[in-house]
Structures are given as C-alpha cells and as structure tokens.
Amino acid sequence: MADTVFQHPDRNLAMELVRATEAAAIRAVPFIGRGDKNAADKAAVDAMRTFLGTVAFDGVVVIGEGEKDEAPMLFNGEHVGNGRGPSCDIAVDPIDGTSLTAAGRQNALSVIAVADRGTMYDPVDAFYMDKLVCGPEGKGVVSLAQSMGDNLRELARAKGKDVADMVVAVLDRPRHAGLIDEIRSAGAGTRLMLDGDVAGGINAARWESRIDMCVGVGGTPEGVITACAIKALDGFIEGRLNPQSADEHAKVVAAGHDLDRILSVHDLVTSDNTYFVATGVTDGGLLDGVRRKGPLIRTESLVLRSKTGTARRVIAEHLASKWLDRDAERAG
C-alpha cells in the first residue's frame, strides 16, 4: 500500500516546490538591474538546487536551464530531491527572463514544473518552437495549421468579442516582424514582450487576463513548462519545432524529430497530474516581484495543479535576518 501512495506527486509537493522558487527569486534580487544575467542566473540556480535537495521526491531534470546560453544550469538528467517519495519529471527555469532581471525590467519569474516520471516531452537539441497559447475557448477553434488571421477571427467569435478588441502577446524579436504585421493587419492589437514567454502564455490562458492569445517562436523548454500550467488552467497550447540555425536544424533532424508535426498539450506532457510553480523576481502582469519591507522579504507565487484544477496565489513574508544568517553560514 505504501508503495502505491508514493507513485505519483501529491498535493503536499506543491508547497515544497514553492520554497525552491521563492529561494531562487530572493537570491536573484541583488543582481536586478546590474547588467550581469549570468550572475543572476547562477545565484538563482544555486538556491533552487539547494532547496530542491530537501524535497521529498525523486526528481529527474528533463528540461534543464541555460544550455543554449552557456549559462549556469540544473543539467538534464540531474537527480534532485531527497530520493524518497514520488518519481517525477521536472522542468526548471530558475529565472525565466535573465535579461529582464539584468536590465531591471518587468516579468522575470522563477519557475518549476513537475509531472509523473516519463511524461514530459524531451526536446533534446530542439531549442526553439512555434507556439500558440490561449484559453479553453480555443479548443477545436485555433491551430498552428491555420493562418494568423483565421485564428484571430475564430477565437474572437468563440469569445464573443470583436477582432478589434483582441490582444495578442508576442516576443519582440526581428523574426516576428511578419507575424506582428499579420496580427495588426487582421485588426487586433499586440502586446510585445521583451522576454519571458512563460508568463505570456499563462496570461493568455487566464480568464481574467487582458491577453487573448500568445504566439510566436520561443524556447522549446519554456513550451513544455507552459504546457504543465495550461493543463491546470484547462487552456489550449500547440507547438511545432522551429530550429533557428543550420546547426540546430541538423541536430533536431538527427535526433529524429518531425519538424512538420504539431504538438498538442498532451504531446508536451502526457500526465494529467502536473504542477506549475512560479515566484515573481521582478514585478509583472502575472506576479509581483520580490520586495523588501523593513525586516521582511515579501514574495508572491502562483501554484497550479492540473489534477484538481486549482490555482493558488501564495503570499509569503520571510524574515530578512534568516536569509542573512544563511549567508553568514555559507561564508563561514
């Protein structure tokens, strides 16, 4: 009986995971606006790894962080947790938005996604993919196989809105110039993101958000992480691998990936028991960033679980002196 209990992640895991994203976000704070994204990333990675080591689960990192930037990372295949408890796939991004953090801009997050072992899509060397994310109204209505104009018109109809009232989030990249023109030509508005398309995708799936859809080429690891959140929000996501260099293209083809295949949410993560946990590093549309208030450090986190369809916001106040004590212990 005991073996059965620990086969799958349970609800207690969520609050353990949020401690790791809180720690990563807090440790990144001294580097906000300092121009060194790798230093911010390293601080967040070190903190996340330390806290994950205390969690009662047997986690294997399927989606690591930092490989395409040669930044610090929790590497693919790394075991995290204390080895006791449920066996899980884990995807990590200690800072989704390292450039945002370094520049002191909004929308940087610390993120962890977890699912049953063997259920997360492993992109191997596929760093980039086309993505389309929206709320549940998009099911059976929008697709990467359709034009941007058709997707906007069909989703607007499903939501009972005019296309002119639709807002689409897109990463502000030169590669998206044509896509942005298509969106605007169809009559919709754009919300251009400097970075952080995980937050953009989640906002597109939340009913209270002003964002109706998030589209464009972004990170494949971020796509898998977003899919874990979308399952909990009952939203819609599709992805299609889109290598951005000849070297990446060759590696993706050699790995056996089909570049024409449209990946559904169930292709990106087959488990129906997923967790998504994020803590704000800097202020943004999804979460407030870390704030120092006198003797306290305040964090805001979002915890999503697909099995129960729950979304929780966790506001935590941490005694700053305790964090300083930990720093002193490390220095000693």
Side-chain angles (χ1 to χ4, degrees), residues 40-184:
D41 212 16
K42 183 179 187 305
V45 168
D46 289 346
M48 182 173 283
R49 178 182 280 121
T50 298
F51 274 77
L52 283 176
T54 69
V55 177
F57 77 138
D58 177 18
V60 175
V61 178
V62 175
I63 305 289
E65 184 275 341
E67 290 183 356
K68 68 181 179 227
D69 296 328
E70 297 182 356
M73 67 181 77
L74 279 149
F75 60 85
N76 291 354
E78 181 173 352
H79 282 258
V80 294
N82 64 13
R84 299 186 298 273
S87 297
C88 306
D89 284 349
I90 181 169
V92 297
D93 202 344
I95 304 181
D96 178 41
T98 52
S99 296
L100 298 176
T101 303
R105 295 192 174 107
Q106 293 190 330
N107 292 315
L109 303 172
S110 178
V111 176
I112 295 174
V114 170
D116 296 315
R117 175 70 54 81
T119 61
M120 278 189 189
Y121 179 75
D122 186 352
V124 192
D125 293 306
F127 295 136
Y128 291 96
M129 71 188 321
D130 290 313
K131 284 176 271 189
L132 190 163
V133 190
C134 63
E137 301 90 349
K139 294 179 181 180
V141 171
V142 300
S143 173
L144 287 172
Q146 297 178 170
S147 70
M148 191 68 243
D150 284 344
N151 280 329
L152 278 168
R153 286 184 286 273
E154 293 300 323
L155 185 59
R157 184 178 296 112
K159 298 184 77 168
K161 300 174 66 170
D162 292 331
V163 173
D165 295 326
M166 300 285 282
V167 178
V168 183
V170 188
L171 283 173
D172 190 5
R173 299 287 189 273
R175 63 177 177 262
H176 289 150
L179 177 61
I180 291 167
D181 284 344
E182 284 184 60
I183 294 167
R184 292 173 177 170

